[in-house]
Amino acid sequence: MPANLIKRDVITALAARAAGLDQPEGNARLKQVVNRLLVDLMVAIDELDISMDEFWCGIAYLTQAGKQNEFGLIVPGVVLEHFLDLRLDEAEQRAGLAGGTARTIEGPLYIAGAPMSKGEARLDDGTDDGEVLFMEGQVRDVSGKPIAGAIVDVWHANTMGNYSHFDPTQTAFNLRRRIETDAEGRYRFRSIMPSGYACPSGSQTEKLLGAIGRHGNRPAHVHFFVSASGYRKLTTQINIDGDKYLHDDFAFGTRGELIPRVERVADAGEIHKFGLNKPFARIRFDFSMTKEVAGAPATIVTREHAEAA
Ligand code: DHB
Ligand code: FE
């Protein structure tokens, strides 16, 4: 079929009726969004001459993605979650907020309700013989003042790149903890070095990425939510330096400010001091929190998560 078969005003009229714009009932904001997305979709179909087969292939793809609960994976893979971050960054800048730790995507694999502890925690259950990782740092405000009682909610993958809860072979809340900062704003944890995550094989996400010539790998990373009363909630990650995919993250989550130095400790005295018998890795990373202000968009996001086990 040729492209551009339908006049723009016909599309506009169809979208308006389909979105209920001529009806008094219903949610005005939802109508606005549905109308706009329908216009954009019809224009795309017409301009690109999307065939019936292509259209229904797309619908079948989305149907299967929904059945497999994969929209949370597809969204970062097609850059939309990072795009939402860029919008929030820009809105904050315009609201005069500056100096906080860079945000990056939450991703689809957070589980609420991880065990809480004060000051420090061990994240791993001891069954994964990976490289031991000690990570520590301070939560501060933008002027450098420590924030006591902040909550560092941390989660990461195991040495296979898999997350507890989604990987049934791991114990509940393995590699997931909430740590309350001490009087000096410090947190500290022992864990194992994560491996990079890869989109599950056979997933709809992997299928799409493969079909457009991309891969579905992330560099190794550790996720954080940092919250403290009076401050804007921070959603971020650190990436593990040296990872093959560090600057080729399929989910677009890597940011230059979020790649701390990884110190490899092999000194026998240090190993002994840390209660270990093999070399380990150490990362220091401080979080800088901006104050909550009127007029800046909220950073506490309402989002469905998988239910805790
Ligand atoms: C995805 C997985 C992650 O571990 C992550 O941090 C971000 C995205 C994903 O599967 O899309
Ligand atoms: Fe992740």
Side-chain angles (χ1 to χ4, degrees):
M1 267 190 266
N4 298 314
L5 294 171
I6 307 296
K7 287 202 176 67
R8 185 62 186 252
D9 58 352
V10 173
I11 287 178
T12 310
L14 288 173
R17 273 179 60 209
L21 295 193
D22 57 354
Q23 298 299 316
E25 311 283 301
N27 179 309
R29 172 65 172 169
L30 182 60
K31 291 179 189 215
Q32 180 188 33
V33 173
V34 169
N35 177 59
R36 173 56 186 267
L37 294 180
L38 283 175
V39 168
D40 287 354
L41 188 55
M42 285 190 270
V43 168
I45 289 170
D46 203 32
E47 286 186 3
L48 300 177
D49 185 28
I50 291 176
S51 71
M52 297 242 186
D53 284 359
E54 287 171 336
F55 181 83
W56 290 111
C57 170
I59 296 298
Y61 176 84
L62 295 172
T63 302
Q64 192 57 31
K67 282 187 191 165
Q68 292 173 201
N69 195 17
E70 275 193 57
F71 283 110
L73 280 69
I74 294 171
V75 164
V78 297
V79 85
L80 292 175
E81 196 166 350
H82 176 61
F83 178 69
L84 296 177
D85 280 345
L86 294 181
R87 292 197 73 244
L88 196 45
D89 289 349
E90 189 63 33
E92 285 187 344
Q93 214 171 12
R94 292 183 192 194
L97 285 163
T101 297
R103 70 166 45 80
T104 195
I105 64 166
E106 172 185 323
L109 304 172
Y110 175 73
I111 297 291
M116 274 277 229
S117 54
K118 283 192 197 285
E120 60 183 356
R122 180 167 174 178
L123 274 53
D124 67 300
D125 65 8
T127 60
D128 191 332
D129 194 29
E131 181 183 22
V132 173
L133 167 66
F134 281 97
M135 181 163 171
E136 67 192 299
Q138 202 175 26
V139 179
R140 307 188 190 116
D141 70 12
V142 293
S143 74
K145 193 168 74 67
I147 304 176
I151 303 294
V152 177
D153 195 339
V154 49
W155 73 103
H156 68 79
N158 67 5
T159 57
M160 308 286 287
N162 296 324
Y163 287 79
S164 65
H165 186 90
F166 302 93
D167 168 12
T169 72
Q170 294 183 50
T171 52
F173 292 111
N174 190 38
L175 312 178
R176 300 176 187 272
R177 287 295 182 279
R178 285 177 293 169
I179 305 166
E180 184 180 331
T181 58
D182 68 14
E184 279 88 50
R186 296 190 179 281
Y187 74 93
R188 172 184 147 88
F189 64 81
R190 173 182 169 166
S191 196
I192 50 164
M193 187 63 87
S195 289
Y197 167 97
C199 280
S201 74
S203 63
Q204 292 293 90
T205 315
E206 189 200 42
K207 262 188 229 166
L208 173 63
L209 293 171
I212 55 179
R214 293 180 50 201
H215 66 74
N217 297 290
R218 297 209 67 203
H221 59 278
V222 179
H223 294 266
F224 298 94
F225 285 146
V226 187
S227 17
S229 160
Y231 295 89
R232 289 170 65 74
K233 177 180 173 178
L234 172 67
T235 299
T236 196
Q237 309 176 16
I238 57 142
N239 286 118
I240 305 302
D241 201 3
D243 192 292
K244 175 178 171 206
Y245 293 104
L246 188 60
H247 297 292
D248 187 21
D249 176 9
F250 97 93
F252 302 90
T254 307
R255 301 192 116 174
E257 315 91 293
L258 302 174
I259 310 171
R261 195 169 79 86
V262 180
E263 184 191 349
R264 250 77 199 199
V265 183
D267 175 77
E270 281 293 302
I271 290 172
H272 183 74
K273 208 174 91 189
F274 277 77
L276 299 175
N277 55 17
K278 59 177 186 179
F280 63 97
R282 214 173 164 188
I283 295 174
R284 293 178 177 87
F285 192 81
D286 300 327
F287 297 99
S288 175
M289 307 282 283
T290 54
K291 281 243 162 66
E292 195 53 270
V293 289
T299 54
I300 296 177
V301 176
T302 306
R303 174 173 174 173
E304 232 173 69
H305 296 114
E307 294 291 325

